[in-house]
Amino acid sequence: VGIEAAFSRFQRLADVGLLADPSFGSRVYRIWPAAIEAARDYRFGTLIQAPRALPLIDSGYLNYYLQGRWPFVAAVIILLGGLWITGLAAFFGRAAERLGILALFLAVYLTAALAISNPLRSPLMAFFIIYVLWRLGLERQVIEMRGQPEARLRYILQKA
């Protein structure tokens, strides 16, 4: 595979635009409107995985909207917003908060990937999110204890 073949799709997107792409255009103009139309029968959302009750949906944002309407979308936005805030605070904050950068990369990936897939359904992604947030909390405790010798002593005595 040559370089031109590998980047031909990106070149086509640059030339004609994202909505003219056959894959993304069919989602926006055909698949997603059909799913939204079929969801009108569900006042509170499907309350089960949306693809089980409605036509094929490959957008995470749309999937959560159809599954539980605005409360589900709000939960996803809160998750993404928290990751963005945590990641940006670490990026512009102290150098010791390296794991916060991981939260920023995770936020960037999820924000983009949820448009065309649903990575939050992956157990590996759920584990990774929990791990990053857990390690961030642990890292902050260590940073606080470094500045307070009596807190460090109290922590050591608790563990003994």
Side-chain angles (χ1 to χ4, degrees), residues 15-46:
D15 292 341
V16 296
L18 187 61
L19 293 177
D21 178 57
S23 175
F24 193 73
S26 69
R27 287 181 173 117
V28 171
Y29 294 122
R30 191 174 45 85
I31 296 172
W32 295 346
I36 291 173
E37 184 63 34
R40 293 180 197 262
D41 297 337
Y42 300 93
R43 181 177 179 168
F44 299 108
T46 62

PDB file of all heavy atoms in Angstrom, residues 15-46:
ATOM      1  N   ASP A  15     -11.025  17.603   0.147  1.00  0.00           N
ATOM      2  CA  ASP A  15     -11.515  18.168  -1.110  1.00  0.00           C
ATOM      3  C   ASP A  15     -13.018  18.444  -1.096  1.00  0.00           C
ATOM      4  O   ASP A  15     -13.463  19.506  -1.514  1.00  0.00           O
ATOM      5  CB  ASP A  15     -11.189  17.242  -2.287  1.00  0.00           C
ATOM      6  CG  ASP A  15      -9.693  17.170  -2.568  1.00  0.00           C
ATOM      7  OD1 ASP A  15      -8.967  18.072  -2.119  1.00  0.00           O
ATOM      8  OD2 ASP A  15      -9.276  16.196  -3.226  1.00  0.00           O
ATOM      9  N   VAL A  16     -13.818  17.467  -0.610  1.00  0.00           N
ATOM     10  CA  VAL A  16     -15.272  17.608  -0.735  1.00  0.00           C
ATOM     11  C   VAL A  16     -15.993  17.852   0.587  1.00  0.00           C
ATOM     12  O   VAL A  16     -17.162  18.183   0.589  1.00  0.00           O
ATOM     13  CB  VAL A  16     -15.888  16.366  -1.420  1.00  0.00           C
ATOM     14  CG1 VAL A  16     -15.395  16.243  -2.828  1.00  0.00           C
ATOM     15  CG2 VAL A  16     -15.640  15.108  -0.631  1.00  0.00           C
ATOM     16  N   GLY A  17     -15.329  17.639   1.719  1.00  0.00           N
ATOM     17  CA  GLY A  17     -15.952  17.885   3.011  1.00  0.00           C
ATOM     18  C   GLY A  17     -16.416  16.613   3.687  1.00  0.00           C
ATOM     19  O   GLY A  17     -16.584  15.569   3.059  1.00  0.00           O
ATOM     20  N   LEU A  18     -16.646  16.718   4.977  1.00  0.00           N
ATOM     21  CA  LEU A  18     -16.996  15.564   5.798  1.00  0.00           C
ATOM     22  C   LEU A  18     -18.357  14.976   5.436  1.00  0.00           C
ATOM     23  O   LEU A  18     -18.523  13.766   5.370  1.00  0.00           O
ATOM     24  CB  LEU A  18     -16.967  15.970   7.273  1.00  0.00           C
ATOM     25  CG  LEU A  18     -17.140  14.866   8.295  1.00  0.00           C
ATOM     26  CD1 LEU A  18     -16.029  13.839   8.175  1.00  0.00           C
ATOM     27  CD2 LEU A  18     -17.157  15.450   9.691  1.00  0.00           C
ATOM     28  N   LEU A  19     -19.347  15.820   5.196  1.00  0.00           N
ATOM     29  CA  LEU A  19     -20.696  15.311   4.909  1.00  0.00           C
ATOM     30  C   LEU A  19     -20.802  14.660   3.536  1.00  0.00           C
ATOM     31  O   LEU A  19     -21.732  13.895   3.291  1.00  0.00           O
ATOM     32  CB  LEU A  19     -21.719  16.440   5.047  1.00  0.00           C
ATOM     33  CG  LEU A  19     -21.900  16.960   6.472  1.00  0.00           C
ATOM     34  CD1 LEU A  19     -22.866  18.119   6.493  1.00  0.00           C
ATOM     35  CD2 LEU A  19     -22.363  15.858   7.401  1.00  0.00           C
ATOM     36  N   ALA A  20     -19.860  14.945   2.641  1.00  0.00           N
ATOM     37  CA  ALA A  20     -19.865  14.308   1.334  1.00  0.00           C
ATOM     38  C   ALA A  20     -19.205  12.934   1.359  1.00  0.00           C
ATOM     39  O   ALA A  20     -19.315  12.171   0.398  1.00  0.00           O
ATOM     40  CB  ALA A  20     -19.162  15.197   0.311  1.00  0.00           C
ATOM     41  N   ASP A  21     -18.547  12.603   2.473  1.00  0.00           N
ATOM     42  CA  ASP A  21     -17.948  11.276   2.617  1.00  0.00           C
ATOM     43  C   ASP A  21     -19.064  10.241   2.635  1.00  0.00           C
ATOM     44  O   ASP A  21     -20.050  10.407   3.365  1.00  0.00           O
ATOM     45  CB  ASP A  21     -17.153  11.217   3.924  1.00  0.00           C
ATOM     46  CG  ASP A  21     -16.549   9.849   4.159  1.00  0.00           C
ATOM     47  OD1 ASP A  21     -15.789   9.385   3.293  1.00  0.00           O
ATOM     48  OD2 ASP A  21     -16.846   9.255   5.220  1.00  0.00           O
ATOM     49  N   PRO A  22     -18.960   9.172   1.832  1.00  0.00           N
ATOM     50  CA  PRO A  22     -20.053   8.185   1.776  1.00  0.00           C
ATOM     51  C   PRO A  22     -20.395   7.578   3.137  1.00  0.00           C
ATOM     52  O   PRO A  22     -21.557   7.378   3.459  1.00  0.00           O
ATOM     53  CB  PRO A  22     -19.531   7.119   0.822  1.00  0.00           C
ATOM     54  CG  PRO A  22     -18.461   7.781   0.028  1.00  0.00           C
ATOM     55  CD  PRO A  22     -17.895   8.862   0.887  1.00  0.00           C
ATOM     56  N   SER A  23     -19.397   7.296   3.949  1.00  0.00           N
ATOM     57  CA  SER A  23     -19.647   6.666   5.239  1.00  0.00           C
ATOM     58  C   SER A  23     -20.318   7.637   6.217  1.00  0.00           C
ATOM     59  O   SER A  23     -21.384   7.346   6.768  1.00  0.00           O
ATOM     60  CB  SER A  23     -18.327   6.164   5.825  1.00  0.00           C
ATOM     61  OG  SER A  23     -18.522   5.651   7.112  1.00  0.00           O
ATOM     62  N   PHE A  24     -19.710   8.788   6.441  1.00  0.00           N
ATOM     63  CA  PHE A  24     -20.258   9.740   7.409  1.00  0.00           C
ATOM     64  C   PHE A  24     -21.537  10.381   6.880  1.00  0.00           C
ATOM     65  O   PHE A  24     -22.490  10.599   7.638  1.00  0.00           O
ATOM     66  CB  PHE A  24     -19.218  10.821   7.744  1.00  0.00           C
ATOM     67  CG  PHE A  24     -19.597  11.637   8.948  1.00  0.00           C
ATOM     68  CD1 PHE A  24     -19.520  11.090  10.216  1.00  0.00           C
ATOM     69  CD2 PHE A  24     -20.037  12.937   8.813  1.00  0.00           C
ATOM     70  CE1 PHE A  24     -19.873  11.835  11.335  1.00  0.00           C
ATOM     71  CE2 PHE A  24     -20.392  13.685   9.919  1.00  0.00           C
ATOM     72  CZ  PHE A  24     -20.307  13.133  11.185  1.00  0.00           C
ATOM     73  N   GLY A  25     -21.593  10.659   5.592  1.00  0.00           N
ATOM     74  CA  GLY A  25     -22.789  11.241   4.999  1.00  0.00           C
ATOM     75  C   GLY A  25     -24.004  10.341   5.134  1.00  0.00           C
ATOM     76  O   GLY A  25     -25.111  10.804   5.413  1.00  0.00           O
ATOM     77  N   SER A  26     -23.808   9.030   4.947  1.00  0.00           N
ATOM     78  CA  SER A  26     -24.946   8.110   5.093  1.00  0.00           C
ATOM     79  C   SER A  26     -25.415   8.051   6.542  1.00  0.00           C
ATOM     80  O   SER A  26     -26.605   7.881   6.802  1.00  0.00           O
ATOM     81  CB  SER A  26     -24.583   6.722   4.586  1.00  0.00           C
ATOM     82  OG  SER A  26     -23.648   6.103   5.430  1.00  0.00           O
ATOM     83  N   ARG A  27     -24.491   8.208   7.468  1.00  0.00           N
ATOM     84  CA  ARG A  27     -24.905   8.249   8.875  1.00  0.00           C
ATOM     85  C   ARG A  27     -25.775   9.476   9.143  1.00  0.00           C
ATOM     86  O   ARG A  27     -26.840   9.366   9.732  1.00  0.00           O
ATOM     87  CB  ARG A  27     -23.672   8.316   9.781  1.00  0.00           C
ATOM     88  CG  ARG A  27     -22.900   7.054   9.889  1.00  0.00           C
ATOM     89  CD  ARG A  27     -21.721   7.263  10.823  1.00  0.00           C
ATOM     90  NE  ARG A  27     -21.041   6.026  11.075  1.00  0.00           N
ATOM     91  CZ  ARG A  27     -19.788   5.793  10.740  1.00  0.00           C
ATOM     92  NH1 ARG A  27     -19.079   6.718  10.141  1.00  0.00           N
ATOM     93  NH2 ARG A  27     -19.233   4.632  11.007  1.00  0.00           N
ATOM     94  N   VAL A  28     -25.291  10.634   8.713  1.00  0.00           N
ATOM     95  CA  VAL A  28     -25.973  11.893   9.020  1.00  0.00           C
ATOM     96  C   VAL A  28     -27.311  12.011   8.291  1.00  0.00           C
ATOM     97  O   VAL A  28     -28.299  12.457   8.867  1.00  0.00           O
ATOM     98  CB  VAL A  28     -25.063  13.090   8.673  1.00  0.00           C
ATOM     99  CG1 VAL A  28     -25.816  14.399   8.784  1.00  0.00           C
ATOM    100  CG2 VAL A  28     -23.848  13.105   9.589  1.00  0.00           C
ATOM    101  N   TYR A  29     -27.356  11.595   7.038  1.00  0.00           N
ATOM    102  CA  TYR A  29     -28.565  11.807   6.234  1.00  0.00           C
ATOM    103  C   TYR A  29     -29.532  10.631   6.239  1.00  0.00           C
ATOM    104  O   TYR A  29     -30.712  10.811   5.948  1.00  0.00           O
ATOM    105  CB  TYR A  29     -28.173  12.123   4.785  1.00  0.00           C
ATOM    106  CG  TYR A  29     -27.443  13.432   4.654  1.00  0.00           C
ATOM    107  CD1 TYR A  29     -26.172  13.490   4.107  1.00  0.00           C
ATOM    108  CD2 TYR A  29     -28.011  14.621   5.099  1.00  0.00           C
ATOM    109  CE1 TYR A  29     -25.492  14.691   3.990  1.00  0.00           C
ATOM    110  CE2 TYR A  29     -27.347  15.821   4.997  1.00  0.00           C
ATOM    111  CZ  TYR A  29     -26.090  15.857   4.436  1.00  0.00           C
ATOM    112  OH  TYR A  29     -25.420  17.045   4.336  1.00  0.00           O
ATOM    113  N   ARG A  30     -29.069   9.419   6.573  1.00  0.00           N
ATOM    114  CA  ARG A  30     -29.956   8.265   6.453  1.00  0.00           C
ATOM    115  C   ARG A  30     -30.111   7.496   7.766  1.00  0.00           C
ATOM    116  O   ARG A  30     -31.225   7.338   8.266  1.00  0.00           O
ATOM    117  CB  ARG A  30     -29.420   7.337   5.346  1.00  0.00           C
ATOM    118  CG  ARG A  30     -30.379   6.253   4.943  1.00  0.00           C
ATOM    119  CD  ARG A  30     -29.880   5.450   3.738  1.00  0.00           C
ATOM    120  NE  ARG A  30     -28.491   5.058   3.805  1.00  0.00           N
ATOM    121  CZ  ARG A  30     -28.029   3.962   4.419  1.00  0.00           C
ATOM    122  NH1 ARG A  30     -28.873   3.157   5.008  1.00  0.00           N
ATOM    123  NH2 ARG A  30     -26.745   3.671   4.428  1.00  0.00           N
ATOM    124  N   ILE A  31     -29.023   7.047   8.351  1.00  0.00           N
ATOM    125  CA  ILE A  31     -29.090   6.147   9.503  1.00  0.00           C
ATOM    126  C   ILE A  31     -29.577   6.871  10.759  1.00  0.00           C
ATOM    127  O   ILE A  31     -30.514   6.410  11.427  1.00  0.00           O
ATOM    128  CB  ILE A  31     -27.721   5.485   9.746  1.00  0.00           C
ATOM    129  CG1 ILE A  31     -27.357   4.596   8.560  1.00  0.00           C
ATOM    130  CG2 ILE A  31     -27.729   4.678  11.031  1.00  0.00           C
ATOM    131  CD1 ILE A  31     -25.940   4.047   8.603  1.00  0.00           C
ATOM    132  N   TRP A  32     -28.952   7.994  11.114  1.00  0.00           N
ATOM    133  CA  TRP A  32     -29.325   8.688  12.342  1.00  0.00           C
ATOM    134  C   TRP A  32     -30.746   9.244  12.293  1.00  0.00           C
ATOM    135  O   TRP A  32     -31.486   9.106  13.275  1.00  0.00           O
ATOM    136  CB  TRP A  32     -28.310   9.768  12.674  1.00  0.00           C
ATOM    137  CG  TRP A  32     -26.943   9.232  12.999  1.00  0.00           C
ATOM    138  CD1 TRP A  32     -26.599   7.937  13.291  1.00  0.00           C
ATOM    139  CD2 TRP A  32     -25.734   9.971  13.063  1.00  0.00           C
ATOM    140  NE1 TRP A  32     -25.262   7.831  13.519  1.00  0.00           N
ATOM    141  CE2 TRP A  32     -24.693   9.065  13.393  1.00  0.00           C
ATOM    142  CE3 TRP A  32     -25.411  11.298  12.871  1.00  0.00           C
ATOM    143  CZ2 TRP A  32     -23.378   9.463  13.540  1.00  0.00           C
ATOM    144  CZ3 TRP A  32     -24.093  11.699  13.023  1.00  0.00           C
ATOM    145  CH2 TRP A  32     -23.093  10.790  13.353  1.00  0.00           C
ATOM    146  N   PRO A  33     -31.204   9.863  11.196  1.00  0.00           N
ATOM    147  CA  PRO A  33     -32.609  10.324  11.172  1.00  0.00           C
ATOM    148  C   PRO A  33     -33.615   9.178  11.292  1.00  0.00           C
ATOM    149  O   PRO A  33     -34.648   9.326  11.947  1.00  0.00           O
ATOM    150  CB  PRO A  33     -32.737  11.023   9.818  1.00  0.00           C
ATOM    151  CG  PRO A  33     -31.355  11.456   9.475  1.00  0.00           C
ATOM    152  CD  PRO A  33     -30.466  10.385  10.032  1.00  0.00           C
ATOM    153  N   ALA A  34     -33.291   8.024  10.705  1.00  0.00           N
ATOM    154  CA  ALA A  34     -34.199   6.872  10.820  1.00  0.00           C
ATOM    155  C   ALA A  34     -34.282   6.401  12.272  1.00  0.00           C
ATOM    156  O   ALA A  34     -35.373   6.058  12.759  1.00  0.00           O
ATOM    157  CB  ALA A  34     -33.722   5.739   9.920  1.00  0.00           C
ATOM    158  N   ALA A  35     -33.169   6.401  12.972  1.00  0.00           N
ATOM    159  CA  ALA A  35     -33.172   5.987  14.380  1.00  0.00           C
ATOM    160  C   ALA A  35     -33.946   6.979  15.238  1.00  0.00           C
ATOM    161  O   ALA A  35     -34.715   6.585  16.123  1.00  0.00           O
ATOM    162  CB  ALA A  35     -31.742   5.848  14.881  1.00  0.00           C
ATOM    163  N   ILE A  36     -33.771   8.255  14.997  1.00  0.00           N
ATOM    164  CA  ILE A  36     -34.499   9.278  15.768  1.00  0.00           C
ATOM    165  C   ILE A  36     -35.997   9.188  15.496  1.00  0.00           C
ATOM    166  O   ILE A  36     -36.816   9.306  16.406  1.00  0.00           O
ATOM    167  CB  ILE A  36     -33.948  10.683  15.459  1.00  0.00           C
ATOM    168  CG1 ILE A  36     -32.536  10.814  16.044  1.00  0.00           C
ATOM    169  CG2 ILE A  36     -34.857  11.763  16.020  1.00  0.00           C
ATOM    170  CD1 ILE A  36     -31.819  12.077  15.665  1.00  0.00           C
ATOM    171  N   GLU A  37     -36.359   8.953  14.250  1.00  0.00           N
ATOM    172  CA  GLU A  37     -37.782   8.804  13.899  1.00  0.00           C
ATOM    173  C   GLU A  37     -38.386   7.591  14.593  1.00  0.00           C
ATOM    174  O   GLU A  37     -39.494   7.647  15.131  1.00  0.00           O
ATOM    175  CB  GLU A  37     -37.928   8.688  12.376  1.00  0.00           C
ATOM    176  CG  GLU A  37     -39.357   8.619  11.905  1.00  0.00           C
ATOM    177  CD  GLU A  37     -40.146   9.881  12.224  1.00  0.00           C
ATOM    178  OE1 GLU A  37     -39.569  10.983  12.199  1.00  0.00           O
ATOM    179  OE2 GLU A  37     -41.347   9.760  12.521  1.00  0.00           O
ATOM    180  N   ALA A  38     -37.677   6.475  14.610  1.00  0.00           N
ATOM    181  CA  ALA A  38     -38.180   5.262  15.265  1.00  0.00           C
ATOM    182  C   ALA A  38     -38.257   5.438  16.779  1.00  0.00           C
ATOM    183  O   ALA A  38     -39.086   4.805  17.438  1.00  0.00           O
ATOM    184  CB  ALA A  38     -37.286   4.077  14.918  1.00  0.00           C
ATOM    185  N   ALA A  39     -37.434   6.319  17.349  1.00  0.00           N
ATOM    186  CA  ALA A  39     -37.401   6.516  18.797  1.00  0.00           C
ATOM    187  C   ALA A  39     -38.556   7.361  19.306  1.00  0.00           C
ATOM    188  O   ALA A  39     -38.758   7.450  20.512  1.00  0.00           O
ATOM    189  CB  ALA A  39     -36.081   7.170  19.198  1.00  0.00           C
ATOM    190  N   ARG A  40     -39.317   7.958  18.427  1.00  0.00           N
ATOM    191  CA  ARG A  40     -40.442   8.795  18.872  1.00  0.00           C
ATOM    192  C   ARG A  40     -41.481   7.994  19.652  1.00  0.00           C
ATOM    193  O   ARG A  40     -42.258   8.558  20.424  1.00  0.00           O
ATOM    194  CB  ARG A  40     -41.088   9.497  17.687  1.00  0.00           C
ATOM    195  CG  ARG A  40     -40.168  10.521  17.066  1.00  0.00           C
ATOM    196  CD  ARG A  40     -40.844  11.204  15.881  1.00  0.00           C
ATOM    197  NE  ARG A  40     -39.859  11.875  15.068  1.00  0.00           N
ATOM    198  CZ  ARG A  40     -39.583  13.166  15.137  1.00  0.00           C
ATOM    199  NH1 ARG A  40     -40.240  13.919  15.983  1.00  0.00           N
ATOM    200  NH2 ARG A  40     -38.663  13.691  14.373  1.00  0.00           N
ATOM    201  N   ASP A  41     -41.491   6.691  19.480  1.00  0.00           N
ATOM    202  CA  ASP A  41     -42.432   5.834  20.211  1.00  0.00           C
ATOM    203  C   ASP A  41     -42.032   5.631  21.671  1.00  0.00           C
ATOM    204  O   ASP A  41     -42.819   5.142  22.465  1.00  0.00           O
ATOM    205  CB  ASP A  41     -42.533   4.466  19.531  1.00  0.00           C
ATOM    206  CG  ASP A  41     -43.093   4.559  18.127  1.00  0.00           C
ATOM    207  OD1 ASP A  41     -43.792   5.551  17.828  1.00  0.00           O
ATOM    208  OD2 ASP A  41     -42.819   3.646  17.322  1.00  0.00           O
ATOM    209  N   TYR A  42     -40.796   5.966  22.017  1.00  0.00           N
ATOM    210  CA  TYR A  42     -40.275   5.758  23.367  1.00  0.00           C
ATOM    211  C   TYR A  42     -40.150   7.098  24.076  1.00  0.00           C
ATOM    212  O   TYR A  42     -39.214   7.844  23.857  1.00  0.00           O
ATOM    213  CB  TYR A  42     -38.906   5.070  23.304  1.00  0.00           C
ATOM    214  CG  TYR A  42     -38.935   3.724  22.638  1.00  0.00           C
ATOM    215  CD1 TYR A  42     -38.671   3.601  21.273  1.00  0.00           C
ATOM    216  CD2 TYR A  42     -39.218   2.583  23.374  1.00  0.00           C
ATOM    217  CE1 TYR A  42     -38.689   2.363  20.664  1.00  0.00           C
ATOM    218  CE2 TYR A  42     -39.246   1.342  22.767  1.00  0.00           C
ATOM    219  CZ  TYR A  42     -38.976   1.243  21.410  1.00  0.00           C
ATOM    220  OH  TYR A  42     -39.001   0.018  20.812  1.00  0.00           O
ATOM    221  N   ARG A  43     -41.108   7.385  24.945  1.00  0.00           N
ATOM    222  CA  ARG A  43     -41.145   8.691  25.610  1.00  0.00           C
ATOM    223  C   ARG A  43     -39.947   8.930  26.516  1.00  0.00           C
ATOM    224  O   ARG A  43     -39.393  10.022  26.582  1.00  0.00           O
ATOM    225  CB  ARG A  43     -42.434   8.798  26.415  1.00  0.00           C
ATOM    226  CG  ARG A  43     -42.573  10.097  27.113  1.00  0.00           C
ATOM    227  CD  ARG A  43     -43.878  10.185  27.819  1.00  0.00           C
ATOM    228  NE  ARG A  43     -43.948  11.479  28.498  1.00  0.00           N
ATOM    229  CZ  ARG A  43     -45.022  11.965  29.016  1.00  0.00           C
ATOM    230  NH1 ARG A  43     -46.140  11.285  28.931  1.00  0.00           N
ATOM    231  NH2 ARG A  43     -45.005  13.118  29.613  1.00  0.00           N
ATOM    232  N   PHE A  44     -39.514   7.909  27.251  1.00  0.00           N
ATOM    233  CA  PHE A  44     -38.384   8.035  28.175  1.00  0.00           C
ATOM    234  C   PHE A  44     -37.129   7.365  27.637  1.00  0.00           C
ATOM    235  O   PHE A  44     -36.200   7.097  28.390  1.00  0.00           O
ATOM    236  CB  PHE A  44     -38.748   7.421  29.534  1.00  0.00           C
ATOM    237  CG  PHE A  44     -39.910   8.098  30.180  1.00  0.00           C
ATOM    238  CD1 PHE A  44     -41.140   7.461  30.250  1.00  0.00           C
ATOM    239  CD2 PHE A  44     -39.787   9.374  30.708  1.00  0.00           C
ATOM    240  CE1 PHE A  44     -42.218   8.088  30.842  1.00  0.00           C
ATOM    241  CE2 PHE A  44     -40.853  10.004  31.302  1.00  0.00           C
ATOM    242  CZ  PHE A  44     -42.084   9.369  31.366  1.00  0.00           C
ATOM    243  N   GLY A  45     -37.095   7.087  26.370  1.00  0.00           N
ATOM    244  CA  GLY A  45     -35.978   6.358  25.787  1.00  0.00           C
ATOM    245  C   GLY A  45     -36.270   4.874  25.828  1.00  0.00           C
ATOM    246  O   GLY A  45     -37.266   4.431  26.395  1.00  0.00           O
ATOM    247  N   THR A  46     -35.411   4.099  25.253  1.00  0.00           N
ATOM    248  CA  THR A  46     -35.651   2.657  25.204  1.00  0.00           C
ATOM    249  C   THR A  46     -35.400   1.993  26.548  1.00  0.00           C
ATOM    250  O   THR A  46     -35.948   0.932  26.819  1.00  0.00           O
ATOM    251  CB  THR A  46     -34.739   1.999  24.155  1.00  0.00           C
ATOM    252  OG1 THR A  46     -33.378   2.205  24.536  1.00  0.00           O
ATOM    253  CG2 THR A  46     -34.999   2.547  22.775  1.00  0.00           C
TER     254      THR A  46
END
